[in-house]
Amino acid sequence: MDNKQVYLQGQYLPLSEAKVSVLDRGFLFGDGVYEVIPAYQGQLFQFAAHIERLNNSLKSIRLDVAYDLAQWQAILEPLLIEGDAQYIYLQITRGVAEKRDHAFPAQIEPTIFAMCSPIPLVEKLEGVSAITLDDMRWQLCNIKATTLLANVLLRQQAVEQNCAEAILIKDGYAIEGAASNLFIVLDNILITPPKNADILAGITREVIIQLAQDNNMACVEQPITETALLQASEIWLTSSTKEILPVIQLNNKVVGTGEIGTVWHRMNTLFQHTKRVVS
Ligand code: PDD
């Protein structure tokens, strides 16, 4: 095991020594939230946006952790390791209760855990395959909850069909990936589903929308029907660890020309530049 330093409950310690109680509600119920924050050349990327989303998730599950941006930065920065692209995994669970009970006690100390890992970015240069699957998740997909069993099963199904990701379909609409947001290019317009409780408000998604606006690329936030998905000339999946992943095969059929599209090349160039200048 990689015995790197991790953060747990106010302490930095080797991964092998980081232990939590079996009564932790994260372990028993998946009662917690998390963030995945990329860092490039030692600089946390879109840090304020990640912490804002974390605070929204915490509020949604009624968990009170009152660290400000500077306090989170002081906790997380010492974890950054050598290397160009890394990500911080930050998890906050409701903590350890005296007994197992679905309802939570009023007084309980949250468990805070964080670690840093390298981001491997290779597959996107060749494009990936994806499949569509029915979205069987819950009604609060805007919360970045650690309770990810549906996402786990969906992604596993994709992997077992030699696909990188599952694109989730809900009531005839393409929503997002099992662990990523969705963009398509249709008639030269970039389209991504609007923010609501069906999707996670991805930080990468937000950066892409901003880059499109700043560079006069037509981009709209509107629902994507399954039919539009199948007609798209380009399909991308975006996340903090995958950046902008071009999908060149969907359900065993080529997407567009079967090559990575021109709009992707343009956006990826802009994104790579932004990574280097903004943090
Ligand atoms: N997942 N939608 C879902 C369901 C996700 O799990 C993720 C990211 C995204 C993209 O969000 P962002 O651009 O902020 O990373 C959208 C992370 C990477 C994960 O669970 O590991």
Side-chain angles (χ1 to χ4, degrees):
M1 179 168 66
D2 172 5
N3 211 14
K4 60 192 171 193
Q5 290 286 110
V6 301
Y7 174 90
L8 182 66
Q9 295 305 75
Q11 277 192 305
Y12 297 91
L13 68 179
L15 182 58
S16 60
E17 288 169 29
K19 302 271 182 343
V20 278
S21 161
V22 290
L23 285 178
D24 192 284
R25 292 181 58 91
F27 180 66
L28 292 176
F29 298 111
D31 184 358
V33 296
Y34 74 108
E35 269 301 320
V36 173
I37 310 168
Y40 303 107
Q41 282 109 32
Q43 297 284 310
L44 293 160
F45 182 66
Q46 294 290 323
F47 187 53
H50 278 279
I51 296 302
E52 190 184 336
R53 184 174 65 187
L54 175 70
N55 288 332
N56 290 338
S57 295
L58 287 167
K59 198 166 166 222
S60 304
I61 70 160
R62 299 162 57 186
L63 194 48
D64 192 19
V65 178
Y67 290 146
D68 64 20
L69 203 59
Q71 284 168 312
W72 278 123
Q73 194 164 354
I75 289 173
L76 300 177
E77 269 186 354
L79 294 171
L80 294 175
I81 44 182
E82 290 287 305
D84 184 31
Q86 311 144 45
Y87 70 92
I88 299 275
Y89 176 80
L90 168 62
Q91 169 173 311
I92 307 174
T93 72
R94 202 175 301 278
V96 180
E98 273 176 23
K99 59 180 172 61
R100 182 180 178 275
D101 183 347
H102 286 63
F104 45 84
Q107 292 300 324
I108 181 167
E109 190 197 350
T111 304
I112 303 179
F113 168 67
M115 65 179 171
C116 185
S117 306
I119 300 180
L121 290 173
V122 273
E123 56 197 340
K124 76 168 188 206
L125 302 172
E126 291 170 5
V128 297
S129 301
I131 50 168
T132 52
L133 291 175
D134 279 344
D135 191 355
M136 52 153 171
R137 300 171 302 163
W138 68 333
Q139 290 179 0
L140 298 174
C141 291
N142 54 321
I143 303 175
K144 202 161 171 62
T146 55
T147 333
L148 287 171
L149 196 48
N151 308 59
V152 165
L153 293 173
L154 289 161
R155 177 71 158 269
Q156 185 63 22
Q157 236 178 294
V159 168
E160 285 170 5
Q161 294 187 42
N162 293 321
C163 288
E165 181 64 303
I167 297 177
L168 308 181
I169 308 291
K170 187 172 186 174
D171 302 329
Y173 290 93
I175 301 290
E176 64 174 342
S180 53
N181 287 120
L182 172 70
F183 284 81
I184 65 167
V185 177
L186 190 65
D187 300 329
N188 284 317
I189 297 174
L190 193 54
I191 311 173
T192 192
K195 275 196 282 192
N196 54 37
D198 286 341
I199 68 165
L200 183 78
I203 307 301
T204 320
R205 172 189 178 280
E206 214 57 56
V207 171
I208 291 167
I209 293 171
Q210 192 61 51
L211 284 173
Q213 272 170 12
D214 295 348
N215 292 278
N216 296 320
M217 293 168 76
C219 177
V220 290
E221 292 174 69
Q222 70 182 34
I224 298 173
T225 61
E226 189 171 4
T227 315
L229 177 74
L230 301 177
Q231 289 168 347
S233 55
E234 297 187 29
I235 299 176
W236 314 339
L237 294 165
T238 68
S239 83
S240 295
T241 48
K242 303 280 187 210
E243 298 189 347
I244 315 172
L245 195 57
V247 177
I248 53 170
Q249 264 211 355
L250 180 66
N251 297 338
N252 289 320
K253 295 200 185 78
V254 293
V255 174
T257 61
E259 307 272 311
I260 296 178
T262 50
V263 187
W264 181 88
H265 279 291
R266 186 161 175 222
M267 182 56 80
N268 189 51
T269 304
L270 294 168
F271 189 84
Q272 295 309 320
H273 180 70
T274 302
K275 260 169 54 177
R276 279 171 175 80
V277 294
V278 189
S279 62

